[in-house]
Amino acid sequence: MSRGGGKGLNLKDKLDGNELDLSLCDLNEVPVRELAALPKATILDLSCNNLISLPSDFCSLMHLVKLDLSKNRLQQLPLDFGRLVNLQHLDLLNNRLVTLPVSFAQLKNLKWLDLKDNPLDPTLAKVAGDCLDEKQCKQAAVKVLQHMKAIQSEQDRQRQRKLQAEREMEKKREAEQRAKEAQERELRKREKAEEKERRRREYDAQKAAKQEMEKKTKKETMRTRKSTSSSCPPQPPRHRQSWSKSVLQVLLFMLLCFLCTLAACKLTELRHQPLCVSVNTLFEDIVAALQNHKTLQNMLQQNSQQ
């Protein structure tokens, strides 16, 4: 590793017991992979380099107990910096840090902390205080951890409140949706009942109209039958009417023949024939009978008047 990237640097040569000194190596990057291969190096000195940031996999070096990052140009620490749970001593002197990640509160074993000469947020700077001696640095570690735990707790409460608000909103939406669905079901049910009632009324109306029409038709039929029976006298049976007509025709024919015979016997030379004599005699008898009948009627009429 070259000096700028840490390549060409033999870390084992820098290892002294459990302490690895990589200070003043002009490093721009942290050789995380090589450091992970040396788990017994629990004390790591990266001070006085050109580090601007730490890679996220740096937080996998959970074997670190003491870490010196002073006099670099670090602007921020990784968000999961709190994974370094075994860290007890942390030196961040003279960097460009403004805030610390919330996960910093998880460094429960941290006993010593130096944040001097950083453009810290005023609240964080006031909490950290000075680190001019061992006692102040230990106090800084305790106070900063408490401060970060409070921030974490507040963020957790805000997150819980947000989740609670989201759950309440979701419940409200679900309740509104259920109410809307119930209202729609009730509306559909009411519309269905109204449609059924409308069809029932139409059916009843059609049935009543049909019955009224049948009654009207029946009345018209009865009225027609009555008018027909009153205007037309009862006709005799057809066979009896035909028989009467035939008899009448025979009588008329016989009368016509008799009149023609009588006329012939009166007006022609046939009157001296025996048949005509009989016909004339019969005619004279009929006339005499009719006259006698008339005379009898007159007498009876005169008797009744007297």
Side-chain angles (χ1 to χ4, degrees):
M1 295 193 303
S2 67
R3 286 274 172 140
K7 295 181 180 180
L9 195 63
N10 192 345
L11 299 185
K12 291 183 179 181
D13 293 341
K14 298 284 185 176
L15 184 62
D16 183 9
N18 65 339
E19 183 176 353
L20 180 60
D21 186 2
L22 296 179
S23 62
L24 299 169
C25 291
D26 198 23
L27 295 176
N28 296 318
E29 299 177 358
V30 179
V32 177
R33 184 177 298 179
E34 289 81 357
L35 292 173
L38 298 173
K40 72 175 186 175
T42 58
I43 299 175
L44 177 60
D45 187 355
L46 289 169
S47 62
C48 302
N49 282 291
N50 298 317
L51 301 176
I52 297 177
S53 64
L54 299 177
S56 59
D57 56 351
F58 180 84
C59 301
S60 64
L61 303 176
M62 298 174 62
H63 59 277
L64 294 178
V65 175
K66 183 176 181 180
L67 176 62
D68 189 351
L69 291 168
S70 62
K71 297 181 181 179
N72 279 281
R73 294 183 295 169
L74 294 173
Q75 299 178 3
Q76 61 182 10
L77 298 178
L79 294 178
D80 55 349
F81 193 80
R83 290 175 60 193
L84 302 175
V85 293
N86 293 313
L87 200 60
Q88 299 178 14
H89 185 109
L90 178 59
D91 192 347
L92 293 170
L93 170 71
N94 196 9
N95 276 280
R96 299 177 182 177
L97 297 173
V98 176
T99 60
L100 297 175
V102 178
S103 65
F104 199 91
Q106 300 172 14
L107 301 177
K108 57 184 179 179
N109 293 314
L110 190 65
K111 303 293 189 298
W112 194 98
L113 176 63
D114 188 358
L115 287 172
K116 292 193 309 296
D117 299 331
N118 280 281
L120 295 174
D121 176 81
T123 303
L124 179 59
K126 183 177 179 180
V127 170
D130 292 328
C131 183
L132 302 176
D133 53 33
E134 190 73 11
K135 182 179 179 180
Q136 289 182 343
C137 292
K138 288 182 178 181
Q139 289 178 347
V142 173
K143 292 179 179 179
V144 169
L145 280 179
Q146 291 176 348
H147 177 68
M148 298 309 298
K149 285 179 181 178
I151 292 176
Q152 186 180 48
S153 298
E154 181 60 26
Q155 288 188 355
D156 289 342
R157 284 193 294 271
Q158 290 179 358
R159 187 159 43 252
Q160 288 297 326
R161 286 195 294 269
K162 184 178 179 180
L163 290 175
Q164 183 66 23
E166 290 177 352
R167 284 195 291 267
E168 292 295 331
M169 184 63 67
E170 183 64 24
K171 288 181 181 178
K172 184 178 180 181
R173 284 196 295 267
E174 290 177 356
E176 290 176 352
Q177 182 66 24
R178 287 194 297 270
K180 183 179 179 181
E181 291 175 354
Q183 186 177 5
E184 290 176 351
R185 286 195 300 271
E186 185 63 25
L187 179 61
R188 287 194 296 270
K189 184 178 179 181
R190 187 162 57 249
E191 289 177 348
K192 188 175 180 180
E194 291 176 354
E195 178 64 19
K196 185 176 180 180
E197 180 64 19
R198 184 185 64 80
R199 291 200 303 268
R200 188 187 66 79
R201 287 197 300 268
E202 289 180 354
Y203 172 79
D204 291 344
Q206 291 176 358
K207 186 175 180 181
K210 184 177 180 182
Q211 291 176 350
E212 186 66 23
M213 182 63 69
E214 290 176 352
K215 289 170 65 176
K216 187 176 180 181
T217 303
K218 188 174 181 181
K219 288 181 179 179
E220 290 291 336
T221 302
M222 293 178 65
R223 190 179 297 111
T224 302
R225 288 179 179 176
K226 287 181 179 180
S227 61
T228 302
S229 61
S230 60
S231 60
C232 297
Q235 298 292 330
R238 204 168 168 188
H239 64 279
R240 187 176 300 173
Q241 183 180 11
S242 300
W243 179 81
S244 300
K245 186 177 181 181
S246 299
V247 171
L248 182 60
Q249 289 177 351
V250 170
L251 291 175
L252 290 175
F253 178 74
M254 290 175 64
L255 179 60
L256 180 62
C257 292
F258 177 75
L259 292 175
C260 291
T261 304
L262 181 61
C265 290
K266 288 286 187 181
L267 300 176
T268 63
E269 295 295 333
L270 295 175
R271 60 179 177 272
H272 300 290
Q273 296 294 328
L275 178 61
C276 288
V277 172
S278 298
V279 170
N280 291 330
T281 302
L282 179 61
F283 176 72
E284 290 174 356
D285 291 339
I286 291 172
V287 171
L290 290 175
Q291 289 177 350
N292 291 331
H293 179 67
K294 188 174 181 182
T295 302
L296 181 60
Q297 284 183 346
N298 292 331
M299 290 175 64
L300 290 175
Q301 187 175 5
Q302 290 176 359
N303 291 330
S304 63
Q305 288 177 354
Q306 291 175 1

